[in-house]
Structure formats: structure tokens, C-alpha cells
Amino acid sequence: MSAAPARRCAYAVLRRVFEQQAYADQALHSASRGLDARDHALAMRLAYGAVQRRLTLDYAIERLAGRPAERLDAAVLAALRVGLYELYYLRGAPDRAVVADTVELAKEAGSRGYGLVNAVMRRAAREGAGSLFASFGEDTPESAAVMHSHPPWLAQMWWRELGAERTRALMRADNEPGELALRVNTLRAGTRADAKAGTDADTGAVAAKLGVSTHGDPELPEALVVQAPLDLHRTAVWQEGGVLAQSRAAMLVARALDPQAGERVLDLCAAPGGKSTHLAALMGGEGEVVAVERNPARAEQLRETARRLGAASVTVEVLDAALPRPDGDRFDRVLVDPPCSGLGTLQARPDLRWRATPERIAELAALQRKILAAGAEALRPGGTLVYSTCTISAVENEQLIEQFLSENSAFTIEDLTSQWPAYAHPRAEHFLLTLPDRDRTAGFFIARMRRVAG
């Protein structure tokens, strides 16, 4: 008998991610064609969960199989990762069904190691996860990394920057499903007055059209958090441009810039366009948002997003954000949202934790400094500059801003924590840092500065 479709799909995703360096979301999209909604949901949970929990699962495999995980046949290792994840973390199907399908996955791949798979899975089902997990501990960065399946270097970095308790909580949250947040597009749903304040009518009308349970956010009137499964792109309200998926942390960035109607705003590294169109909405469509994107294909996607959302005030330019503007133009407000390590988005991007490296973070910080300098140069005297990333990494965040301020006396920091105390950075004054464990949204760093007038 063949393995269940959802398990076979998850198995295919794992092999593509760890053997061919594919991105998990793209691998799932390809492998899940033809699955019904229920099987697709299970395949996603199995695949994403097994990718996230790789380090913990490999620790278990080594103890159950009596040999290092990296020495196992690739087909055997992928099957065990999927099977043990379901056995230890989902606990929905009978153990015998999980064991049988895990063995079948190895057989279908032509591996002669299916006997080992059978032995490991039977032992795991018999002994359970309790004693195994109890032996982990989480008193050190290294043991916590195994317990919560994060690269040891990342656990060590967060331990230094955020402390032990926060690091453990953050790593636990990274392995939980992230929330689905939507931004109500007031360019379609409301008036200029609605754009700044948001209205219950706007969010309520959109929630009714979606037909699923939602709740709002008092800090973000345009936000809706969906509390049930939703195929957003098939809804009429999405197709009409009334809503788009955007984390609440990302919405906070545009709010922090606080654009005003009639101003000229520059958004650097703007694709895919969520923040650019949000800025346009907060301005009621009055003024101009210049959205800069280096990649022509991503720039075209940004234009399409602006069209769908009715953001006619967004102008897309294909330029390198790290270089000074060729026209020397100045803007009232500038948003610098540069490429970053993305360590605040590990819930939504299960394979990212295994791709990130300390060396890559250092490379990104150098690029971020160049883009911030270009953004600062484009700001008029008296204007507002916001720097934001979707990562939790001091070298890309507070240390970078502190260095910038020490080298640029024309800029002063503004305190964001008085307006949003709930999102205050736990260890750095004036800055915001949303945290998945504390705030139930992606991890974003936000700093706001003002250029001295005159």
C-alpha cells in the first residue's frame, strides 16, 4: 500500500529542501498539486514542522538509530524526519499508521534502509517522546538550540543580546504557526479621514465579506487577525483590492513613519509593496510615494499590487537603493527597509534558520549601512527617516543605528516607545522590536530619526 498523499508530499518537500536547497514554500507549491484542502493543510504542517524541527529530530534519530543522522541514506533520513515529527508533535493519527507510512516512504524511494526505518519508528512509538525530550535541558544556548531546533550560533547570539529567558521564549514561538494578519485597504474601503484613523465600518465590512472569525488590534485600526483557515486569494474582497496579507509588525512600520497627505515620501527596497501601498493609504492617496526596487521583475509585481489596491499615488522606480539618487531629489519622509537576515520571520519561513549564517549577517549589515546613507541623503532638512528590518539581530538593528547617529550629527533619534510602549525594545532605548513570543506577530525592528532643520 502506498503512503498517504499528505505524508508523501511532505516527504518530497523535505528531500527538495535538504538535498536540492529548494525553498520550502516553493517545494510545497510544486509537490502539493492535486491535493485537496485537507491533505494540503496536513502536508504543510508536516513539511514545515519537520523542516523547522530538523535539529531536534536528528538528535532523536541519532539516539534511536545508534548512528549520526548525516551518515544515513538521504531517503531514510527524510522519511524518519517526517515520521518522527508527526509521531512526536502532531499526535493526530494512530501510531501504527504513522509507522507504516514512514516505512512505505523509504520503500517507495527505493531505499534498502527501510528496515532501519521500521526499527527506529517502532522504538520511537514504544518509548514515546517524554524521556527523550527530558534529557535535552535548556540551561545553555547549546542545549536550548537542540531542544527548540535552532542553529547553535543563533541561540548563542540571542542569548547574548536578549538574555536566556527571552531567547528560550522566542525559540519556542518560532516553532508555532504564525498568525494570518490582513490590512484593510482604506483606499478601496474608506475615505481620507478613515485612512489615518481607521474605522470599525471598514474592518467590520471586510470581516463580514471574508466570512471567517477575525479580531482587530487597537494599535492598528486597519488590521484584522484571521482566526480560521482562509484561502485569501480566492475571496472577492482580495480580488477587489480591499485587503492584503501583511503582518501587524509590518503595518507598524508605516504608522511609525507617519506620512501626511500631500507629502513626498521615498520607500527604498519597496517590493513587494505592502508598506508602499500602506503609506499611500495613510496619506489618503494625496501626495506621492516613490517606491524604489532594484529588481525589474519585483518592481513590476509592485506596480501590479499598487494597481490592485488603487494606490495611484505610488510611483515605482527601478534603481539601486544603495546609491544616491541620480536627480538629487529630496523627500519629506524616507523609509529604509533594506534586505536583512529575516530572523524575525522564522515562523513563516521554516527553512530560513538553516540558511542564515553569521557571515551573511555581516554582509547584510554592510549593505544596510549603504542604503541607510542613501536614504538619509535623500531626506530634506526637518524630515523624518525610519529604518526598519524584519530581523532580530543587534548588528543589523540597534548597533547599526547607533553607529549611524555617531557619524551623522545632523540626525537625532526620536523615541517611539512613548507611543507604542507594548512594542518597546527589551534592551535598547527609543527603539521598537516586535517579538513573536510577546506580540504574536513577526519580529521587526523600527527606529525613527529626524534630520535637523536648517
Side-chain angles (χ1 to χ4, degrees), residues 6 10 23 65 91 100 126 138 163 176 210 228 234 251 280 306 310 320 359 402 422 433 435:
Y23 291 100
R91 307 296 300 171
R126 182 173 63 252
E138 51 178 348
E176 298 298 323
L210 291 172
R234 292 189 179 182
M251 295 182 217
D320 187 342
E359 295 76 18
E402 288 162 0
L433 183 67
L435 294 162

Side-chain angles (χ1 to χ4, degrees), residues 304-360:
E304 178 54 36
T305 297
R307 284 192 290 267
R308 184 177 67 82
L309 299 181
S313 61
V314 173
T315 301
V316 179
E317 295 181 347
V318 180
L319 293 172
D320 187 342
L323 299 177
R325 289 187 61 79
D327 55 12
D329 210 1
R330 296 291 184 93
F331 294 82
D332 300 295
R333 296 175 197 262
V334 175
L335 171 60
V336 175
D337 182 28
C340 70
S341 58
L343 298 176
T345 65
L346 299 187
Q347 285 183 326
R349 302 167 68 185
D351 51 309
L352 178 59
R353 68 188 70 185
W354 310 121
R355 298 179 186 277
T357 66
E359 295 76 18
R360 180 57 177 157

Side-chain angles (χ1 to χ4, degrees), residues 23 41 89 93 124 143 148 152-153 165 179 262 265 302 351 397 409 429 431:
Y23 291 100
Y89 294 102
S143 61
H148 302 294
W153 70 264
E165 183 177 355
E179 70 177 19
V265 177
L302 197 162
D351 51 309
N397 293 341
S409 59
E429 289 184 332
F431 308 126

Side-chain angles (χ1 to χ4, degrees), residues 327-453:
D327 55 12
D329 210 1
R330 296 291 184 93
F331 294 82
D332 300 295
R333 296 175 197 262
V334 175
L335 171 60
V336 175
D337 182 28
C340 70
S341 58
L343 298 176
T345 65
L346 299 187
Q347 285 183 326
R349 302 167 68 185
D351 51 309
L352 178 59
R353 68 188 70 185
W354 310 121
R355 298 179 186 277
T357 66
E359 295 76 18
R360 180 57 177 157
I361 288 177
E363 293 172 2
L364 286 165
L367 175 61
Q368 290 155 1
R369 285 192 291 271
K370 291 180 181 178
I371 296 173
L372 179 57
E377 184 176 326
L379 186 68
R380 68 163 176 79
T384 299
L385 173 66
V386 164
Y387 174 88
S388 175
T389 69
C390 60
T391 196
I392 303 171
S393 160
V395 71
E396 299 177 78
N397 293 341
E398 59 267 28
Q399 291 178 9
L400 186 147
I401 294 301
E402 288 162 0
Q403 179 182 347
F404 171 81
L405 291 171
S406 70
E407 298 171 352
N408 293 272
S409 59
F411 287 82
T412 59
I413 193 70
E414 293 195 336
D415 182 17
L416 290 171
T417 61
S418 58
Q419 186 172 358
W420 291 289
Y423 301 128
H425 194 299
R427 289 198 166 188
E429 289 184 332
H430 309 304
F431 308 126
L432 301 183
L433 183 67
T434 58
L435 294 162
D437 62 296
R438 182 190 66 187
D439 305 314
R440 301 296 184 263
T441 187
F444 270 64
F445 172 84
I446 308 173
R448 188 169 69 195
M449 295 158 279
R450 185 171 296 278
R451 185 168 193 159
V452 178

Side-chain angles (χ1 to χ4, degrees), residues 106-254:
K107 281 185 179 180
E108 290 178 3
S111 173
R112 290 180 294 179
Y114 64 83
L116 174 64
V117 174
N118 184 52
V120 169
M121 290 298 296
R122 286 182 179 276
R123 181 181 172 188
R126 182 173 63 252
E127 296 179 2
S131 60
L132 178 70
F133 289 173
S135 69
F136 286 175
E138 51 178 348
D139 295 334
T140 67
E142 295 75 19
S143 61
V146 175
M147 179 70 171
H148 302 294
S149 194
H150 282 63
W153 70 264
L154 178 55
Q156 292 162 2
M157 184 183 80
W158 283 347
W159 212 271
R160 291 191 306 269
E161 295 177 0
L162 300 172
E165 183 177 355
R166 173 63 66 196
T167 298
R168 287 190 288 261
L170 182 55
M171 291 195 294
R172 280 193 292 268
D174 281 342
N175 292 321
E176 298 298 323
E179 70 177 19
L180 172 58
L182 308 177
R183 175 168 63 82
V184 175
N185 176 29
T186 50
L187 291 171
R188 294 291 195 200
T191 66
R192 192 182 83 179
D194 297 335
K196 293 299 286 186
T199 67
D200 291 337
D202 282 338
T203 54
V206 169
K209 288 182 180 180
L210 291 172
V212 295
S213 177
T214 63
H215 68 78
D217 182 334
E219 301 284 357
L220 298 163
E222 60 272 59
L224 282 176
V225 178
V226 179
Q227 298 174 284
L230 175 68
D231 188 347
L232 178 64
H233 290 188
R234 292 189 179 182
T235 64
V237 68
W238 183 89
Q239 295 169 0
E240 295 165 357
V243 69
L244 80 163
Q246 189 175 27
S247 73
R248 291 183 294 121
M251 295 182 217
L252 189 62
V253 174

